[in-house]
C-alpha cells in the first residue's frame, strides 16, 4: 500500500482515534515493527508502495514458519472484532498441545531435556519419560515432538504434545545423539509417518474434473508437481513413502482421483475400496 492507502484503511480500523499517520509517526511505527515482528516493511521506489517482506537471514528459503507466525499476528490483530462478532465466525479447532510448545523450544534453546508423563494410545498406559527433543511438527491439528530417550537406546520416536502432562526442563544439559536435520528426517514422509528403511518413490495420480483446482490450491504433499493435463483430468506426481495416512488422504478425494503408479500402490487402493464396498453389500 501507499501511505495514503494505509491511512484510508486505518480509518476503518477499531484502533483509529481519528488521526492519520504522519510520515514521521509511520516511520517510528515501521521501525518498531522491524524490531518486534517476524517481518519488515520495505518501500518500493518503482511503485511508490510499502511492501511486507520476511527476513531471509532469519527464515532462509523456507516460508512456512514465516507464514505461520504471520497468520498468528493476523488472528491477534482481529481479536476485538472477532469477539464482537463471534456469532458470525465458525472455526476448526486449533492444534492441540500448543501449551507445551514454548517449554519444548526452551529446552532446545538451552540444550536441555524434558521430563514428562506421557499417555500412549497404543498401550493404554501413562509412563514417565525423560526425553531429548529434536524437532516439532504440526499435523492434522496436532503438535508433535520428535525426541529420543535420555539413555539414547531406542533412537527417535514421535510424541503428541496433547498427551504430555507435568512437563518440565531437566536440570542437566542433554544433547541429541544424531545431528540429522528436520528436512532429512521427514524427507519423503507423508505427515508424521517416518521410516528409516523406506525410501521415497515416484507416485502418479490422475485427478478428475473440478477436483484438480482444489488439489492445486491445497497440494496433497509438498513434492507435488503437475506433469500432464487435458480438459477432463490432470496427472500429478509425488516423491514420498506410501503409508496409512497417505492412502487415507487419497480416499478423502472420493471418486475424483485414480492412482496410476506404482502398481502396488494402485492395488492397495483397490483392495481398500473393495473391502469398503463389501461392507455395503
Amino acid at each position: 500500500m501507499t501511505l495514503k492507502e494505509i491511512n484510508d484503511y486505518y480509518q476503518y480500523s477499531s484502533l483509529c482515534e481519528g488521526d492519520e499517520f504522519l510520515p514521521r509517526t509511520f516511520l517510528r511505527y515501521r521501525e518498531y515493527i522491524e524490531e518486534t515482528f517476524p517481518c519488515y516493511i520495505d518501500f518500493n521506489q518503482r511503485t511508490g508502495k510499502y511492501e511486507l517482506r520476511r527476513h531471509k537471514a532469519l527464515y532462509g528459503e523456507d516460508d512456512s514458519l514465516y507464514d505461520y507466525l504471520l497468520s498468528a499476528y493476523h488472528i491477534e490483530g482481529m481479536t476485538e472484532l472477532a469477539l464482537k462478532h463471534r456469532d458470525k465466525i465458525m472455526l476448526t479447532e486449533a492444534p492441540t498441545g500448543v501449551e507445551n510448545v514454548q517449554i519444548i523450544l526452551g529446552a532446545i534453546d538451552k540444550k536441555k531435556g524434558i521430563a514428562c508423563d506421557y499417555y500412549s494410545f497404543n498401550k493404554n498406559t501413562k509412563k514417565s519419560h525423560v526425553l531429548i527433543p529434536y524437532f516439532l511438527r504440526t499435523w492434522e491439528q496436532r503438535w508433535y515432538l520428535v525426541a529420543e530417550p535420555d539413555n539414547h537406546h531406542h533412537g527417535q520416536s514421535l510424541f503428541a504434545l496433547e498427551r504430555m502432562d507435568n512437563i518440565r526442563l531437566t536440570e542437566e544439559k542433554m544433547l541429541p545423539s544424531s545431528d540429522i536435520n528436520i528436512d532429512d528426517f521427514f524427507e519423503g514422509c507423508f505427515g508424521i509417518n517416518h521410516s528409516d528403511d523406506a525410501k521415497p518413490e515416484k507416485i502418479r495420480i490422475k485427478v478428475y474434473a473440478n477436483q484438480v483446482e482444489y488439489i492445486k490450491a491445497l497440494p496433497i504433499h509438498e513434492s507435488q508437481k503437475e506433469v500432464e493435463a487435458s480438459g477432463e483430468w490432470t496427472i500429478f506426481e509425488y516423491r514420498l513413502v506410501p503409508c496409512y495416512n497417505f492412502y487415507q488422504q487419497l480416499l478423502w478425494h472420493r471418486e475424483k482421483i485414480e492412482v496410476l503408479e506404482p502398481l502396488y500402490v494402485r492395488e492397495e487402493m483397490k483392495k481398500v475400496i473393495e473391502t469398503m464396498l463389501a461392507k455395503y453389500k
Side-chain angles (χ1 to χ4, degrees), residues 177-233:
S177 59
S178 171
D179 62 354
I180 188 169
N181 64 54
I182 193 168
D183 292 326
D184 290 339
F185 185 84
F186 283 111
E187 182 187 8
C189 292
F190 187 83
I192 58 169
N193 289 91
H194 170 78
S195 172
D196 290 325
D197 301 324
K199 300 297 181 183
E201 55 187 299
K202 181 175 72 176
I203 296 174
R204 289 194 174 192
I205 66 170
K206 181 182 282 189
V207 183
Y208 294 92
N210 60 355
Q211 198 68 11
V212 169
E213 297 305 319
Y214 287 100
I215 287 180
K216 284 183 179 179
L218 189 63
I220 290 175
H221 186 259
E222 56 265 24
S223 65
Q224 176 173 300
K225 64 179 181 179
E226 183 180 328
V227 295
E228 191 177 341
S230 78
E232 300 296 323
W233 48 262

Side-chain angles (χ1 to χ4, degrees), residues 4 23 40-41 48 61 97 106 116 130 135 162 166 176 196-197 211 215 218 240:
K4 181 182 183 306
Y40 66 98
I41 297 174
E61 298 302 320
C116 69
V130 178
F135 319 119
E162 68 191 43
N166 194 25
D196 290 325
D197 301 324
Q211 198 68 11
I215 287 180
L218 189 63
L240 55 82

Side-chain angles (χ1 to χ4, degrees), residues 19-41:
D19 299 324
E20 66 178 20
F21 288 124
L22 296 175
R24 68 172 178 271
T25 305
F26 177 72
L27 180 61
R28 189 170 69 250
Y29 286 171
R30 178 183 171 191
E31 290 173 348
Y32 173 79
I33 286 170
E34 292 183 3
E35 293 173 356
T36 309
F37 294 92
C39 57
Y40 66 98
I41 297 174

